[in-house]
Amino acid sequence: EVIDNSPVDDNKKIKIRAARILNEKLEVVSEIDNAKRAYVEIEFEVLKEGKGYDVAFSLEHIEYGPIFGSCFKDTRLKEYDSLVLKRGKHHFRVELPMNYLRGGTYYMSIASAIPKIEVLDHLKQDLEFNILDTTSPVVLTTEGRSGVILPVIKWEQRWFYES
């Protein structure tokens, strides 16, 4: 869990206050099993009501680098330009795609912006957490595979017989 209670200057529009990893019981954790549900929760304060504010995160694996990024705007593309975030505290909770992520240490950087116009704030410290891989084919078969995502992809088998 990362918390930022530092004071803000008068010109600031948004202040990211906290980020945490939650398990399926919504408890704050630093280690999660990829067989279970997990979430990132981002708490921020809107200091000046406005349009176009976005909050985003980037997920990185300690060995493999960037995995993916996501932002609030992604899920509200049609109404985003007219959406006004009111003054006060806001919380976003995002479910992580645990069934794709292999074990290891991850970092999440969190920021807010008006895309292509202005960076509003960023959490000064990355959120760090560990994923325990207990269910992927890599673990169950003890074979090595490269890559940081571990999707189980459906394979169709067709039999061809010579006549």
Side-chain angles (χ1 to χ4, degrees):
E1 180 174 38
V2 177
I3 297 172
D4 182 352
N5 287 321
S6 63
V8 295
D9 65 51
D10 292 339
N11 296 326
K12 201 129 183 103
K13 297 173 183 169
I14 285 185
K15 177 68 178 167
I16 299 174
R17 291 295 186 185
R20 56 191 64 88
I21 299 296
L22 305 174
N23 65 15
E24 59 190 1
K25 296 176 185 174
L26 304 181
E27 301 165 326
V28 176
V29 295
S30 61
E31 190 168 82
I32 46 181
D33 184 323
N34 70 348
K36 306 211 172 163
R37 296 176 91 163
Y39 308 86
V40 60
E41 183 177 72
I42 301 168
E43 179 184 326
F44 63 98
E45 186 176 356
V46 174
L47 303 163
K48 292 183 180 173
E49 184 176 297
K51 290 183 184 179
Y53 297 169
D54 201 5
V55 176
F57 69 83
S58 175
L59 181 67
E60 293 191 28
H61 188 275
I62 195 168
E63 292 176 51
Y64 296 97
I67 309 304
F68 68 86
S70 184
C71 64
F72 174 61
K73 180 179 180 178
D74 291 348
T75 59
R76 291 171 173 72
L77 289 174
K78 289 184 181 178
E79 72 267 14
Y80 177 75
D81 289 332
S82 62
L83 182 67
V84 175
L85 287 182
K86 303 218 180 273
R87 282 179 50 93
K89 289 205 174 174
H90 298 257
H91 288 83
F92 288 154
R93 186 179 304 147
V94 178
E95 186 168 3
L96 297 172
M98 298 303 292
N99 57 322
Y100 286 108
L101 301 174
R102 81 180 307 141
T105 301
Y106 288 81
Y107 295 94
M108 190 173 284
S109 57
I110 298 162
S112 62
I114 300 173
K116 299 183 188 175
I117 297 173
E118 178 184 4
V119 174
L120 301 174
D121 194 29
H122 67 279
L123 204 53
K124 305 289 185 262
Q125 179 184 344
D126 287 346
L127 180 61
E128 180 182 335
F129 60 98
N130 292 305
I131 293 178
L132 302 174
D133 183 359
T134 60
T135 61
S136 77
V138 174
V139 167
L140 298 176
T141 63
T142 66
E143 64 183 37
R145 292 187 193 172
S146 61
V148 73
I149 64 167
L150 301 171
V152 176
I153 298 171
K154 183 179 178 181
W155 287 52
E156 289 187 27
Q157 183 176 8
R158 295 187 180 173
W159 297 98
F160 295 97
Y161 297 99
E162 291 185 33
S163 42

